[in-house]
Amino acid sequence: MLLPKRNFRSTWVAQFIKHPTSAQVTIKNIERELICPACKELFTHPLILPCQHSICHKCVKELLLTLDDSFNDVGSDNSNQSSPRLRLPSPSMDKIDRISRPGWKRCSLTPRTTTFPCPGCEHDVDLGERGINGLFRNFTLETIVERYRQAARAATAIMCDLCKPPPQESTKSCMDCSASYCNECFKIYHPWGTAKAQHEYVGPTTNFRPKEKLSKDIDYLIGKESQVKSQISELNLLMKETECNGERAKEEAITHFEKLYEILDERKSSVLKAIDTSKKLRLDKFQTQVEEYQGLLENSGLVGYAQEVLKETDQSCFVQTAKQLHFRIQKATESLKSFRPAAQTSFEDYVVNTSKQTELLGELSFFSSGIEAPEINEEQSKVYNNALINWHHPEKDKADSYVLEYRKINRDEEMLPWNEIEVCGTSKVISDLESNCNYAFRVRAYKGSISSPCSRELVLHTPPAPVFNFLFDDKCGYNNERLLLNLKRDRVESRAGFNLLLAAERIQVGYYTSLDYIIGDVGITKGKHFWAFRVESYSYLVKAGVASSDKLQEWLRSPRDAVSPRYEQDSGHDSGSEDACFDSSQPFTLVTIGMKKVFIPKSATSANEPENRVLPMPTSIGIFLDHDKGRVAFYDMDHMKCLYERQVDCSHTMYPAFALMGSGGVQLEEPVTAKYLEYQGDM
C-alpha cells in the first residue's frame, strides 16, 4: 500500500521540476509535506526509510542513540535526561517495551539497533544489517525543500529597486531617496564624494513615510516658533487671570456664606429673646398665683383679715367692710373649686423647624439663571418591575449631563437622603426599589460645574409585590378559531363577530354566547405576585383574574357552549356579580372590563346601585395575588390604587386568566429593562 504513494510523489515532483512556474501557488500549501515528523522542522538531508517515509539524517542518529541509552539505562535512576545530544524527549514506556521485545536484535559484542520505530507511521521498520548506512538519501525531497526555502525568503525579502531583472535582494534603504538598494546599486547611485553619499540609510525597509512626516512636523514647528512663543505668553496671562478670578470667586462665596451666618445669628438672637420674654411673663403669672393662694392659708392673709372683721362691734362699719370682704372670699372659694395654672409650661410653639432650610442648604451649589430646570414627563414615566423616568429639557444641547435623584417616602414623612445617579441622556431605568412604597423623583441639569434648579418632584407608587412574568398559553384550552395571538404571545385579540356568528342559532333561542378563555403559561404555587395588562379601548367585553388548576382542566375539557348551565342567564357568572352568585365549581375569579369601563362585582359591603360599581377604565390594570393568604386584588395602575379585593381558594396552582367576547384585545405589560429605553428610542 505504501509503494503507490511513493510513485505518486515521485510523479508530482517530476512535474514540479519541469513546470516550476505552474506550481508556485501549490508550493505555498505543501509545507506540511516538507516537515520532518521527528524534529518538526524542514527536512535536512532526508533519508528514505523502508516504510517509504522520510526522516532527517541527524534525527535518525539521535533517535537511535536515544533508544540505545534508554535500553541501557531503563533501570537506572541516574540517567542524564538533559544530555545536549538528545534533542528529542525520552521514549515512552511503550517504545521501551518494543526495545525489550525479542524482535530487537543486538550484537553480543557491539550492541547495535537494527529495528527502528518510524515517527511517521509509528511502525517498527527493519534497517537491515547495515543500519543507517543502508538508507538512501532523498535528493528529490531535498531539492523541493531548498526551493521552498528560497520561495519563503523571496516572499519576505525586500528586493533592490534599481537592479535589472532579475532584481537582487536589497541590503540598504535610503531614507532620503525612499528606495532600497543592493550593495552594487548603492555604490553606483551613491558614489563617494558626492552629496548623495551623505544620505541617511538604514536596513532594508518599505516604510519611508514616518521620516517624511516627522520632518514636515519639525519644519512646521520651526516656522511657527514666534507663534508658539506668543501662545506661551498668552497662556501665562490666562493662568494669572485664572488665579485672580479663582480668588475673587472664593471671596464672593465667603461673602455669601457670611451673609447667611449674619442672618442665622440675627434669627438666633430673635428666637432666644422671644423665648426669654415668654418665660418671664409665665413666671410672673405663676408668682402672682402663688401669692394669692398663700393668702388663703389659715392665720394669714385674707383669712386672718376676715377673722378680724368679724370682731367689729360697730354695725355700720362692719357692713361697709363685709360687702367687699365677702366678694373677695367668694372669689377665692371659686378659685379653689376650679384650680387652673395661670400659664403653660410647654414651649412647643417655640420649637424651630429647620428641616426645609436644612434641605435647601444641602442643595446649595453653583447656580446660573441661564440653565432652566428640566421637566419630568409624567405620561412617559412609569413604575412596574422597575421605574422608568423620562424628562424633557428645553435646552438639551446646553446641558452636559443630568443628575436623577430619588428617595423613598416613609409613611411618617421622614426625610430620607436622596440617592443620586448621573445620566447622560434624558431617561433612566432604576431598579432595586422596594415593593408597595412611594418614591419621589426629581432631576437637574449640569453644564460644567453649574447646576440648574431641580425639577418638580414626581411621586410613583411601586406595585404591592414582585412582578410575575408569563406569556399567553397557546395550548391549554386556546381556541385559535376565535382568538388570535401574536408571535411574542404577549397580546391576544378576539376576532370580532366570530363567536356571535358561530352561535347565531343559539342566540335565537335566548341563550348567552360563550366567552373565549385563555390562561398564562406559568402557574403560581406560593408567595405574592403582581402583573399588569392593558385592555384596548375598542374592546366590547374582557374579563381578567385568576384560575385554579384543579377545576381548570375539567372546565376546558367540557363543551363550552350556550347549552352549558354555566352560561344560563340566571347563573350570574358573566354578569359582573361574582361575589353574589359565585359558583364554586367554576375555576375563574374575574372582573369585567369593557366599553372603556371597569365593572366592580357585587359584595355585601358595596352599594347595589350599578352606577356605584362602574369606574373609568385605567390605562393599565394590575392584579395582585397573595397565594399564601388566598387574596386577589385588582389595581388602577395609573395611581396604584386598589379597586376591588376578594378572597379566593388558592389550595392549588393558580394561573393568570382572561376571557374575551366580541371585538377586543389584551396586551401584557412589558417589564421595564435597559433595552426598554432602546425600544422607546426606536419608536
Side-chain angles (χ1 to χ4, degrees):
M1 295 299 294
L2 297 175
L3 189 58
K5 182 176 181 181
R6 181 185 182 188
N7 293 339
F8 171 77
R9 180 178 295 179
S10 301
T11 303
W12 180 87
V13 171
Q15 293 177 354
F16 175 75
I17 295 173
K18 290 182 179 180
H19 308 284
T21 305
S22 62
Q24 287 180 356
V25 177
T26 308
I27 197 171
K28 298 179 181 178
N29 302 321
I30 64 173
E31 183 177 358
R32 62 179 182 178
E33 299 292 335
L34 310 181
I35 298 297
C36 174
C39 63
K40 306 302 181 183
E41 297 178 358
L42 292 176
F43 282 107
T44 304
H45 306 304
L47 301 178
I48 302 177
L49 297 175
C51 62
Q52 305 306 315
H53 291 101
S54 297
I55 187 172
C56 296
H57 182 270
K58 60 179 179 179
C59 294
V60 176
K61 288 185 177 181
E62 291 176 353
L63 279 172
L64 289 175
L65 290 174
T66 303
L67 294 174
D68 287 341
D69 291 344
S70 301
F71 182 82
N72 294 329
D73 302 334
V74 68
S76 174
D77 294 334
N78 298 324
S79 60
N80 185 7
Q81 299 295 331
S82 60
S83 176
R85 69 175 182 176
L86 301 181
R87 295 180 56 196
L88 299 177
S90 299
S92 58
M93 292 304 297
D94 58 342
K95 290 186 178 180
I96 294 177
D97 292 340
R98 290 201 300 269
I99 296 175
S100 303
R101 291 201 306 267
W104 285 83
K105 303 175 183 179
R106 299 181 60 84
C107 179
S108 60
L109 296 178
T110 306
R112 184 176 59 186
T113 302
T114 58
T115 302
F116 180 78
C118 174
C121 61
E122 297 185 354
H123 287 83
D124 293 339
V125 293
D126 190 356
L127 300 182
E129 294 294 335
R130 298 184 61 188
I132 298 178
N133 296 330
L135 299 178
F136 292 96
R137 190 170 175 179
N138 193 340
F139 290 101
T140 301
L141 179 58
E142 193 171 345
T143 302
I144 296 174
V145 170
E146 184 58 29
R147 287 183 178 176
Y148 178 82
R149 293 181 192 274
Q150 294 177 1
R153 284 196 300 268
T156 58
I158 299 175
M159 310 308 293
C160 179
D161 295 328
L162 282 302
C163 278
K164 296 181 180 180
Q168 300 296 319
E169 185 174 349
S170 65
T171 59
K172 300 178 180 66
S173 292
C174 179
M175 302 304 292
D176 297 291
C177 300
S178 299
S180 298
Y181 303 89
C182 63
N183 285 332
E184 297 299 326
C185 291
F186 187 81
K187 293 177 181 178
I188 294 174
Y189 291 96
H190 293 76
W192 184 258
T194 64
K196 286 189 175 181
Q198 306 300 323
H199 285 185
E200 180 185 0
Y201 62 91
V202 294
T205 182
T206 58
N207 191 4
F208 302 100
R209 293 188 63 187
K211 179 177 182 296
E212 290 176 356
K213 186 174 184 298
L214 182 60
S215 300
K216 291 181 180 179
D217 292 341
I218 294 174
D219 294 339
Y220 177 81
L221 290 177
I222 294 174
K224 298 293 183 179
E225 182 178 359
S226 60
Q227 182 179 351
V228 171
K229 291 181 179 179
S230 175
Q231 291 175 350
I232 292 175
S233 301
E234 183 178 356
L235 289 174
N236 290 328
L237 292 176
L238 291 176
M239 290 175 61
K240 293 180 180 179
E241 184 178 355
T242 301
E243 186 175 355
C244 294
N245 290 338
E247 293 298 325
R248 187 181 298 110
K250 287 174 59 177
E251 293 176 358
E252 291 177 356
I254 292 174
T255 302
H256 287 296
F257 278 101
E258 287 178 349
K259 289 182 179 179
L260 291 177
Y261 297 152
E262 292 176 1
I263 295 173
L264 288 175
D265 288 337
E266 181 183 354
R267 297 302 302 161
K268 175 182 175 182
S269 301
S270 177
V271 169
L272 295 180
K273 183 178 180 181
I275 293 175
D276 289 338
T277 302
S278 178
K279 181 179 70 172
K280 185 177 183 305
L281 290 174
R282 296 181 188 189
L283 291 177
D284 291 343
K285 290 181 179 180
F286 281 127
Q287 184 62 34
T288 302
Q289 192 174 21
V290 168
E291 292 176 355
E292 290 180 356
Y293 276 85
Q294 285 180 347
L296 299 179
L297 296 178
E298 187 177 2
N299 297 326
S300 65
L302 182 61
V303 176
Y305 177 68
Q307 291 176 349
E308 292 296 328
V309 170
L310 289 175
K311 297 177 181 180
E312 179 63 44
T313 57
D314 189 349
Q315 204 63 0
S316 60
C317 292
F318 176 80
V319 173
Q320 182 181 3
T321 307
K323 184 176 181 181
Q324 184 181 6
L325 182 61
H326 176 72
F327 176 77
R328 294 180 60 189
I329 292 175
Q330 187 178 6
K331 183 179 178 181
T333 303
E334 292 176 355
S335 176
L336 289 174
K337 291 180 179 179
S338 58
F339 173 76
R340 185 177 182 180
Q344 294 182 356
T345 60
S346 173
F347 281 79
E348 294 179 353
D349 296 339
Y350 290 87
V351 175
V352 179
N353 183 8
T354 60
S355 58
K356 184 177 181 180
Q357 288 75 13
T358 302
E359 183 178 356
L360 291 175
L361 288 174
E363 298 173 358
L364 189 63
S365 62
F366 295 105
F367 169 73
S368 173
S369 58
I371 304 180
E372 297 184 9
E375 298 177 2
I376 295 181
N377 192 324
E378 297 186 12
E379 295 181 357
Q380 296 184 3
S381 298
K382 59 181 293 187
V383 64
Y384 192 37
N385 60 318
N386 295 322
L388 170 64
I389 309 299
N390 275 281
W391 60 89
H392 170 71
H393 193 217
E395 300 179 352
K396 181 178 179 180
D397 296 336
K398 293 185 178 180
D400 296 333
S401 62
Y402 300 89
V403 171
L404 176 63
E405 298 180 341
Y406 68 96
R407 66 180 177 186
K408 186 173 70 171
I409 302 176
N410 289 346
R411 294 181 179 178
D412 55 0
E413 297 185 356
E414 180 184 356
M415 293 294 182
L416 297 178
W418 290 93
N419 300 298
E420 295 186 353
I421 301 177
E422 186 173 358
V423 186
C424 293
T426 56
S427 58
K428 181 64 177 178
V429 172
I430 302 177
S431 57
D432 300 329
L433 300 180
E434 298 181 17
S435 300
N436 199 24
C437 292
N438 282 319
Y439 281 87
F441 302 88
R442 67 184 186 185
V443 65
R444 63 179 184 268
Y446 272 89
K447 180 66 175 179
S449 61
I450 301 176
S451 170
S452 73
C454 289
S455 66
R456 183 174 57 87
E457 293 185 12
L458 172 66
V459 178
L460 297 177
H461 191 96
T462 57
V467 171
F468 180 63
N469 293 322
F470 67 93
L471 298 174
F472 289 117
D473 194 338
D474 58 353
K475 299 179 179 59
C476 183
Y478 170 62
N479 189 336
N480 57 4
E481 294 181 355
R482 301 182 181 181
L483 298 179
L484 181 64
L485 275 177
N486 64 348
L487 295 177
K488 293 175 63 177
R489 292 194 293 119
D490 63 349
R491 179 183 175 85
V492 62
E493 289 182 311
S494 175
R495 299 187 177 184
F498 271 39
N499 51 354
L500 296 177
L501 292 174
L502 294 174
E505 295 180 357
R506 291 178 293 214
I507 293 177
Q508 294 177 0
V509 297
Y511 285 97
Y512 277 179
T513 58
S514 63
L515 291 165
D516 296 313
Y517 290 88
I518 187 169
I519 63 173
D521 60 352
V522 182
I524 298 173
T525 58
K526 63 179 180 178
K528 299 178 180 179
H529 303 275
F530 184 87
W531 62 93
F533 59 93
R534 300 191 303 272
V535 176
E536 299 297 343
S537 59
Y538 62 81
S539 300
Y540 174 69
L541 190 148
V542 174
K543 285 180 170 287
V546 294
S548 178
S549 62
D550 62 330
K551 302 171 186 175
L552 187 62
Q553 294 298 330
E554 178 184 356
W555 176 275
L556 295 176
R557 282 196 299 266
S558 63
R560 295 181 289 124
D561 52 27
V563 180
S564 173
R566 298 185 179 96
Y567 298 99
E568 292 180 359
Q569 295 185 15
D570 296 335
S571 69
H573 179 65
D574 293 327
S575 63
S577 57
E578 283 81 349
D579 276 11
C581 306
F582 179 71
D583 184 0
S584 61
S585 65
Q586 297 176 0
F588 301 102
T589 303
L590 311 168
V591 295
T592 305
I593 307 106
M595 297 177 286
K596 299 183 180 181
K597 303 292 182 182
V598 176
F599 302 90
I600 304 300
K602 292 180 180 179
S603 64
T605 58
S606 63
N608 293 327
E609 291 77 6
E611 59 271 11
N612 295 330
R613 297 188 294 109
V614 178
L615 304 175
M617 183 177 70
T619 305
S620 297
I621 299 174
I623 297 180
F624 168 50
L625 177 64
D626 190 341
H627 192 280
D628 300 336
K629 294 184 178 180
R631 300 290 297 179
V632 61
F634 301 86
Y635 278 76
D636 175 0
M637 284 289 291
D638 294 340
H639 307 91
M640 202 58 68
K641 176 184 177 183
C642 182
L643 302 176
Y644 171 66
E645 184 179 9
R646 62 158 294 163
Q647 199 73 22
V648 64
D649 182 10
C650 293
S651 56
H652 295 81
T653 303
M654 304 298 291
Y655 290 87
F658 301 85
L660 295 89
M661 185 175 74
S663 177
V666 175
Q667 173 71 54
L668 300 179
E669 280 287 0
E670 183 180 3
V672 179
T673 62
K675 292 184 179 179
Y676 191 90
L677 295 177
E678 300 176 2
Y679 174 78
Q680 290 288 90
D682 295 338
M683 292 295 289

